Amino acid sequence: NSRIATRRCRGGALARRATSPKVAVIGAGPGGLAVALALRKETGLDDVTVFERAPELRPAVGGGLQLHAGAALLEDLGVRLREWRGSLCRIRSRSVDGSELLRLDLRDLVQDLRPFTDSLLLEDGQLASSTVMRDALLDAMVAELPEDTIRFGRQLVSANLVPEGDRVSCRFTGEASPLEFDLVVAADGICSQARQTVTGEEEDTAPRYTGLRIQYGVREAGGRPEGCEEEAHQWFGEGVYALTATYGGLEGKLFEMIAVVFRDDQPIVENADWDAAEVRESCLQRLREAGHGREVLDVAEGCTRFFELGVCERPVAATSWHKGRLVLLGDSAHAMPPFLGQGANQAVQ
């Protein structure tokens, strides 16, 4: 059980030191912020700093996430999810001609498989499965950390073990000299700068493009059929998969997102300055050509924000996820495709 494992950290050697060890967390995504919360709240460590390469955590960036056991764990850590999260109770899968492929009630499934599914329940027995916009999730997590925990504009350049092996020396952009820490948790993503120090891998194990791309569209709620707010709908067309769902967002607003998955074997440079209008037209054309129906198009046509990403993979760091006091977390250790919230849930847990 991930919650029990987290609490076991309380008795760790680091927490027993007379003075609080100095801890660095690299990356202010869901995984990095979760480990910062756990270290402070479950072990009593108070010198925990998160280093984030972005200049700030901006609203309206990224799409929606599905959280399951990760949501229960975050509530245990004090993150007030219930104030704004959307509930996810059912999943429906259909082909573009309307034929039903799957109807799954998550509450029934969890009850039928207990006690193996207890990690999917909140303390009051309610289903933990949730939908939330990424910016709202990060905002709620940051609210539970001291104000000066995150240092923005700090990209990791290198992380190396000091000769004695009980400290880690890190170089960051924006810092004049290296900083040393008793523990470094690298949650810096699939292109992790810390990974090679841990695994000793060569450059030929860099992230590899899988040939799959995802186009995302986000809008305020109102485009989906009434009564399906607690359902995620999957649609399977010829070469084009679409997912629509409703997500809790900042200030209690509800949003809808569509994710369109397709194959494109031509490598594309990521982090390009995508023209949202071009992505929108490409997405709508792709959905129409694959025969997707009115329910899917109604969501897509009303989206006011579009972006596109390529799906990359990287071999799992199988030999070890840590070396000395340097630890890999999330995609830096085991990159997950962005399907059904796998990456966020795995990193948080």
Side-chain angles (χ1 to χ4, degrees):
N1 185 296
S2 59
R3 285 183 264 183
I4 294 174
T6 300
R7 293 191 178 105
R8 285 178 180 159
C9 294
R10 203 176 268 131
L14 284 175
R16 290 198 299 267
R17 290 193 177 185
T19 58
S20 183
K22 190 175 182 181
V23 180
V25 177
I26 316 300
L33 294 178
V35 78
L37 284 166
L39 287 170
R40 294 189 65 91
K41 296 195 174 188
E42 298 294 326
T43 71
L45 298 179
D46 56 20
D47 192 350
V48 179
T49 304
V50 179
F51 293 85
E52 169 56 39
R53 65 182 180 180
E56 60 180 344
L57 296 180
R58 293 175 293 169
V61 172
L65 300 172
Q66 297 177 27
L67 294 176
H68 301 283
L73 178 58
L74 289 176
E75 287 226 341
D76 281 355
L77 293 174
V79 181
R80 296 188 292 273
L81 293 179
R82 300 191 201 204
E83 296 181 5
W84 40 261
R85 72 180 178 97
S87 295
L88 179 60
C89 299
R90 290 172 296 279
I91 297 175
R92 293 186 66 190
S93 302
R94 286 167 282 181
S95 61
V96 292
D97 64 6
S99 302
E100 189 154 86
L101 306 174
L102 172 71
R103 184 189 289 265
L104 183 63
D105 188 297
L106 297 179
R107 287 174 294 202
D108 290 346
L109 179 67
V110 168
Q111 291 300 325
D112 290 344
L113 296 179
R114 293 191 71 182
F116 306 106
T117 53
D118 283 351
S119 63
L120 296 171
L121 297 174
L122 302 175
E123 288 189 355
D124 62 2
Q126 296 297 309
L127 184 67
S129 296
S130 310
T131 54
V132 57
M133 297 302 294
R134 190 177 192 275
D135 56 355
L137 175 63
L138 298 184
D139 186 73
M141 296 175 76
V142 168
E144 300 304 317
L145 290 168
E147 191 171 330
D148 59 349
T149 298
I150 305 178
R151 299 183 67 175
F152 292 103
R154 301 294 192 274
Q155 182 168 357
L156 181 68
V157 177
S158 65
N160 297 291
L161 303 180
V162 299
E164 294 79 9
D166 62 349
R167 290 176 69 81
V168 183
S169 176
C170 296
R171 287 186 175 274
F172 297 94
T173 59
E175 298 288 347
S177 57
L179 304 177
E180 288 195 357
F181 302 93
D182 297 291
L183 173 67
V184 173
V185 181
D188 51 343
I190 193 171
C191 294
S192 171
Q193 291 295 315
R195 179 179 167 116
Q196 188 169 347
T197 300
V198 173
T199 65
E201 292 173 343
E202 301 298 330
E203 291 185 358
D204 61 355
T205 60
R208 184 185 70 85
Y209 175 55
T210 63
L212 292 178
R213 300 198 66 79
I214 308 177
Q215 293 176 324
Y216 298 90
V218 179
R219 56 171 292 162
E220 290 193 13
R224 303 183 70 210
E226 187 175 350
C228 69
E229 293 82 6
E230 296 184 344
E231 297 180 351
H233 290 180
Q234 301 182 97
W235 299 87
F236 293 85
E238 184 63 35
V240 180
Y241 162 90
L243 170 74
T244 60
T246 304
Y247 299 80
L250 291 169
E251 300 178 352
K253 292 182 179 178
L254 290 178
F255 293 84
E256 293 168 355
M257 188 184 77
I258 182 169
V260 179
V261 184
F262 59 97
R263 186 160 198 88
D264 185 346
D265 292 317
Q266 183 66 34
I268 300 175
V269 176
E270 295 300 337
N271 299 320
D273 185 16
W274 291 108
D275 185 327
E278 289 185 7
V279 177
R280 179 183 190 276
E281 292 308 312
S282 170
C283 179
L284 291 174
Q285 180 180 350
R286 182 167 285 107
L287 289 170
R288 291 173 181 138
E289 290 177 350
H292 283 274
R294 197 67 253 165
E295 180 179 331
V296 176
L297 292 172
D298 282 345
V299 176
E301 289 172 352
C303 289
T304 56
R305 181 162 60 88
F306 280 88
F307 59 101
E308 180 176 327
L309 296 173
V311 177
C312 293
E313 63 182 8
R314 195 173 190 178
V316 174
T319 55
S320 178
W321 292 356
H322 72 91
K323 186 173 184 179
R325 295 289 177 81
L326 176 60
V327 183
L328 303 179
L329 176 75
D331 280 353
S332 66
H334 48 79
M336 306 289 290
F339 301 145
L340 302 178
Q342 292 182 83
N345 282 280
Q346 291 277 355
V348 167
Q349 291 174 259

